[in-house]
Amino acid sequence: MQRLEHHTLERLGNMACSVSEALGLPFTKLDEASILRAAQRQTGLTDAGDDRYLVPMRKVIEQVGDFERYTPLARAFIRTICIRATVHRLKIEQWFKDHPEADDIPIERPIFVLGFPRTGTTVLQNMLEQAPHRRALQFWETTSPIPWHADLAKDRAARIKRADTDLKWAYRVVPEMKEMHEVSSTTAEECWPLISNTFAVVNYDICHGLAPYGEWLMGYDMEWAYREYRRMLKMLLWRIPAKQLVLKCPEHLWELEPMLKAFPDACIVWTHREPFDCVASYSSMISLSRRTLQGRIDPREIGPHIADRFQRGVSRAMAARDALGDESRFFDVDFKTLVGDRIGMVHRIEEYFDLETTDAALLQGWLDTKRSDGKGQHRYEAAMWGLSEDAINTQFGTYMERFGLG
């Protein structure tokens, strides 16, 4: 049975944060001025670029303050990630002042792998990046995107060490995480941490449980945030060049229209699977974050929330796709077909977009790599999360009919 309340380290951390709040210490202080001061003190910088980031940051702070279920540990955690995002913004602006030539780096025909978790997005991203001229983004560079040293080898080692430390503590606090989704500093990962530097990120809603913030974000203009995201990608390409990027994140489903404005020549690979298992599995996975932030969770509230957000995500994506009116930009991947012929699917994607074909031996080499979070490791019960297959199929009926699911 999945644990629904704090582990020992989470309880100890929450007790320490409670003491911090009682003593008026800054570790749990969550306000705009305090966050900006801390970030500026860490960096010695004051220019954070486009100040539109302050609008979603203020909304996050407001919603955290209004959410009674959040623990002192949650407030300390949110303060930390707000400071880190602001530090990143300050350093990014300074980095581009020092390297103005990076603005001219082209991003040509990036491949975006879209789809819910557990629909084959990880497999496709990793296989598509096996071509020597392509690359995905690794965990260490998305979570620490600004180069630290002029020496590239020292820079990579230092940033990987930082990511290793973050992951070590994450696995100690939430030990179940590793069997649900294995992450290492050098694995290809989702790119939402880059978007989080704008504070306009769906992750605060679906992962951290800030539902009112998520409702607000659905009506927010994300075009500027995707321009910022594109700029960050140029910085990463300056560090490790590649002819073509392979990017993956389900968050792009919610914001397909602004994404396409920022990347008008994108090649979009959209994975599809019956949503019931996807919603149940993801509800189980993100419950770890919510448990850490809330102390104890009610699982039957989490499933319906994730189902609603996922349904709205595909609905928004389908509407944006229809408005674009250019089906040549999209390649749809049926999960069952992918499982039956993964190498063949990669080659069909490449043929569809007129891309160079990847050597099958390289693709098989990745498939032969064993993962600790492989098939059967993550176990969950849909009913525990307040989900039924019939209700999910009805809720996602339009989506399932359009893509021939079920």
Side-chain angles (χ1 to χ4, degrees):
M1 179 65 70
Q2 193 163 328
R3 190 180 183 93
L4 302 178
E5 58 187 18
H6 274 166
H7 277 292
T8 300
L9 283 179
E10 291 168 314
R11 288 200 302 272
L12 292 173
N14 193 51
M15 290 171 60
C17 292
S18 297
V19 172
S20 173
E21 284 195 335
L23 296 176
L25 299 178
F27 304 110
T28 51
K29 193 172 183 181
L30 196 61
D31 66 86
E32 178 184 337
S34 175
I35 290 166
L36 295 181
R37 282 197 304 269
Q40 291 170 2
R41 188 166 55 247
Q42 284 187 32
T43 62
L45 303 170
T46 58
D47 182 5
D50 192 326
D51 64 6
R52 276 178 285 189
Y53 81 95
L54 291 169
V55 175
M57 184 179 80
R58 289 165 183 158
K59 184 60 66 171
V60 170
I61 293 171
E62 172 192 328
Q63 294 303 328
V64 171
D66 290 343
F67 194 27
E68 295 180 353
R69 294 186 190 177
Y70 265 3
T71 63
L73 178 62
R75 289 184 282 277
F77 173 75
I78 299 295
R79 172 182 166 85
T80 298
I81 63 175
C82 286
I83 292 173
R84 181 177 288 194
T86 308
V87 165
H88 287 169
R89 295 193 60 82
L90 291 164
K91 289 184 174 181
I92 288 168
E93 288 306 309
Q94 185 60 49
W95 189 89
F96 272 99
K97 291 175 185 177
D98 295 338
H99 303 86
E101 73 281 1
D103 269 321
D104 297 327
I105 293 175
I107 300 177
E108 298 176 341
R109 303 194 71 199
I111 300 172
F112 282 88
V113 182
L114 311 183
F116 298 144
R118 307 302 186 186
T119 61
T121 56
T122 297
V123 169
L124 281 176
Q125 182 189 35
N126 278 275
M127 293 181 73
L128 284 164
E129 79 145 340
Q130 297 308 307
H133 62 284
R134 297 189 200 121
R135 82 173 186 91
L137 305 181
Q138 295 186 355
F139 182 82
W140 65 269
E141 58 184 333
T142 62
T143 56
S144 184
I146 306 95
W148 291 10
H149 301 290
D151 183 293
L152 297 183
K154 290 182 179 179
D155 175 67
R156 185 177 189 274
R159 289 157 71 188
I160 287 176
K161 184 177 181 180
R162 163 75 172 272
D164 284 341
T165 299
D166 287 347
L167 288 171
K168 179 179 71 174
W169 279 104
Y171 287 138
R172 282 183 179 177
V173 174
V174 188
E176 308 100 315
M177 188 187 305
K178 193 165 187 176
E179 68 183 32
M180 291 189 181
H181 178 62
E182 179 189 22
V183 176
S184 77
S185 296
T186 55
T187 52
E189 292 299 328
E190 296 176 355
C191 48
W192 69 263
L194 294 179
I195 305 175
S196 72
N197 294 319
T198 70
F199 290 88
V201 61
V202 177
N203 190 267
Y204 283 127
D205 175 15
I206 59 176
C207 196
H208 299 339
L210 287 177
Y213 168 87
E215 291 291 342
W216 172 83
L217 192 65
M218 296 292 175
Y220 184 65
D221 183 0
M222 288 285 288
E223 189 172 347
W224 79 274
Y226 271 92
R227 287 199 301 269
E228 297 258 303
Y229 164 66
R230 183 184 178 99
R231 190 167 178 241
M232 291 178 232
L233 292 176
K234 291 182 178 183
M235 183 172 61
L236 301 185
L237 286 172
W238 180 91
R239 173 64 179 77
I240 306 177
K243 182 180 179 181
Q244 189 174 36
L245 286 170
V246 184
L247 305 165
K248 179 196 80 166
C249 189
E251 292 211 9
H252 299 312
L253 286 170
W254 282 266
E255 305 298 343
L256 187 57
E257 182 179 357
M259 188 199 83
L260 286 169
K261 289 180 179 178
F263 303 93
D265 61 346
C267 305
I268 301 172
V269 178
W270 188 350
T271 58
H272 304 284
R273 185 182 184 181
E274 289 88 344
F276 177 63
D277 284 335
C278 303
V279 173
S281 174
Y282 192 70
S283 297
S284 173
M285 185 183 302
I286 59 92
S287 72
L288 302 181
S289 171
R290 297 202 188 184
R291 184 190 71 199
T292 299
L293 298 177
Q294 297 179 29
R296 182 173 180 81
I297 55 173
D298 181 351
R300 297 186 66 82
E301 292 182 359
I302 293 177
H305 179 229
I306 295 303
D308 173 76
R309 293 310 194 239
F310 277 19
Q311 191 276 328
R312 290 169 73 172
V314 293
S315 295
R316 286 164 66 95
M318 288 188 296
R321 179 170 174 171
D322 292 341
L324 178 67
D326 183 3
E327 285 296 307
S328 68
R329 301 282 299 282
F330 296 85
F331 185 92
D332 295 301
V333 175
D334 178 79
F335 178 75
K336 293 176 182 176
T337 306
L338 171 64
V339 170
D341 185 11
R342 288 167 287 186
I343 292 176
M345 182 62 75
V346 170
H347 287 163
R348 287 194 288 277
I349 291 170
E350 292 171 328
E351 180 181 6
Y352 182 82
F353 289 117
D354 194 24
L355 305 175
E356 184 178 337
T357 301
T358 306
D359 189 322
L362 294 175
L363 300 176
Q364 188 61 52
W366 185 84
L367 288 172
D368 291 340
T369 302
K370 182 176 175 59
R371 292 173 58 91
S372 67
D373 62 348
K375 185 177 180 180
Q377 295 298 313
H378 178 200
R379 295 180 174 86
Y380 54 89
E381 296 179 6
M384 175 180 180
W385 305 102
L387 301 169
S388 75
E389 188 167 7
D390 287 345
I392 291 294
N393 289 345
T394 298
Q395 188 173 1
F396 286 80
T398 301
Y399 165 71
M400 294 179 67
E401 181 178 1
R402 176 164 177 167
F403 295 105
L405 304 173

